[in-house]
Amino acid sequence: MSLQTLSEWLRCPNCSLPLHPGGALVLKCDAGHSFDVNKRGFVSLAGQARRLIGDSIAMVDARDLFLGTGWYDPLRDRIADRVAAEHPGRLLDIGCGTGYYLRGILDRVPGIRVLGMDLSPSAVGRTVAGQSGVDGLVADVWSPLPVRDGAADVLLNVFAPRNPPEFHRILTDDGLLAVVVPQERHLRELRQAGLALDVPSNKVAHLVETLAPFFRLEAAEDLCSTLSLEPIQIAALIGMGPSAHHTDAGALTDQLSAVQTVTAAFHLLSFRRLAYPSR
């Protein structure tokens, strides 16, 4: 990351003018607005009004622990395959988490420029750490994004909220939006035990309908596997997602005493940007 490469992604959240380096660890626009860049290599442009709270350090640690086991590597590989087929020069990961999926893409697409965006400063800091080709942004996906028009060839959105009109604006013409959402049977054993939140049965249909004015569905792929998880891995799996807000992962580890079988099931959906929104 450098101030120059970071600034090339961004526009001012106050006036929408392009940001550019304005001194040591400062980005500014020509209207005089300025923003401090974190010493760890990312900038926060989230503002004060937030509808959501970003992942805590404990949640980010849990994600690192679980994903480090390799159970989701097949999903990461399929995402990397899909993105590599586009031969993109610039990719923006909205809801980047710890950068686990981005690292799979970096291995497949040498020289790609990447912006990792998340509402959690802890997550963005983890994403950019040690990655020279990755810039970082803390921002709220529900607000107008402080990202320039047509900034990315590919948008990646894995288990994260979406802002269709803004996604359309920041993608290049004919750009790709790759989305991963859970299948209804994802983590069904944990949900049956009351340890994980339900997945709506119409999630894909609702997603396609919501994106339809801006994107057309180009491809869909389902991935499913059975995981044999130790108690500490189950606690990390629950602790890294929204269920963490409703479950004491530490207490759960003490309750579980044997390996548990858990279903992991995902939809990988590819959407192509429409030239003109239909509304």
Side-chain angles (χ1 to χ4, degrees):
M1 191 284 301
S2 70
L3 282 180
Q4 182 59 44
T5 60
L6 178 59
S7 69
E8 290 170 358
W9 288 99
L10 304 176
R11 69 179 193 177
C12 178
N14 298 324
C15 65
S16 298
L17 290 174
L19 292 178
H20 53 82
L25 295 179
V26 173
L27 294 177
K28 67 179 183 179
C29 70
D30 289 342
H33 304 116
S34 63
F35 307 91
D36 294 333
V37 177
N38 189 287
K39 291 181 179 179
R40 290 184 289 165
F42 61 89
V43 64
S44 177
L45 302 177
Q48 299 301 316
R50 297 183 181 182
R51 294 173 59 181
L52 294 174
I53 298 174
D55 291 351
S56 66
I57 293 176
M59 293 174 70
V60 174
D61 287 343
R63 184 168 291 122
D64 261 345
L65 191 159
F66 179 79
L67 295 176
T69 65
W71 286 115
Y72 281 13
D73 283 2
L75 173 61
R76 181 171 70 171
D77 291 344
R78 289 304 302 134
I79 292 172
D81 289 344
R82 185 65 191 90
V83 172
E86 293 290 304
H87 305 289
R90 296 171 68 84
L91 178 143
L92 199 167
D93 184 355
I94 298 181
C96 60
T98 60
Y100 169 77
Y101 299 103
L102 283 181
R103 288 192 291 275
I105 293 168
L106 290 170
D107 290 341
R108 293 289 306 279
V109 189
I112 189 174
R113 293 301 312 179
V114 171
L115 178 67
M117 180 188 126
D118 205 287
L119 186 59
S120 166
S122 299
V124 175
R126 204 73 58 96
T127 292
V128 303
Q131 300 291 339
S132 60
V134 180
D135 295 299
L137 169 66
V138 177
D140 182 359
V141 71
W142 298 111
S143 301
L145 299 178
V147 177
R148 300 187 191 192
D149 294 357
D153 304 308
V154 173
L155 293 184
L156 179 61
N157 184 258
V158 181
F159 310 129
R162 291 160 293 277
N163 187 331
E166 283 294 276
F167 285 11
H168 184 272
R169 180 184 64 78
I170 64 180
L171 261 180
T172 53
D173 294 345
D174 202 39
L176 180 78
L177 168 62
V179 179
V180 177
V181 294
Q183 294 185 32
E184 186 178 3
R185 56 181 167 164
H186 182 58
L187 308 185
R188 60 186 175 190
E189 296 84 2
L190 300 183
R191 289 190 283 109
Q192 289 168 358
L195 300 176
L197 300 179
D198 287 339
V199 177
S201 59
N202 62 343
K203 194 171 185 68
V204 170
H206 178 70
L207 172 63
V208 173
E209 180 182 1
T210 301
L211 293 175
F214 306 94
F215 299 89
R216 63 175 173 84
L217 178 63
E218 184 172 82
E221 181 178 357
D222 291 345
L223 296 89
C224 183
S225 58
T226 300
L227 317 181
S228 297
L229 303 181
E230 299 175 359
I232 192 171
Q233 295 172 339
I234 294 176
L237 176 58
I238 294 171
M240 75 183 197
S243 297
H245 299 294
H246 309 278
T247 304
D248 185 336
L252 176 63
T253 304
D254 295 335
Q255 295 172 15
L256 299 173
S257 59
V259 170
Q260 306 284 320
T261 298
V262 177
T263 300
F266 318 101
H267 299 290
L268 171 56
L269 306 168
S270 299
F271 295 87
R272 189 66 61 182
R273 182 185 186 273
L274 299 175
Y276 303 100
S278 61
R279 69 181 183 202

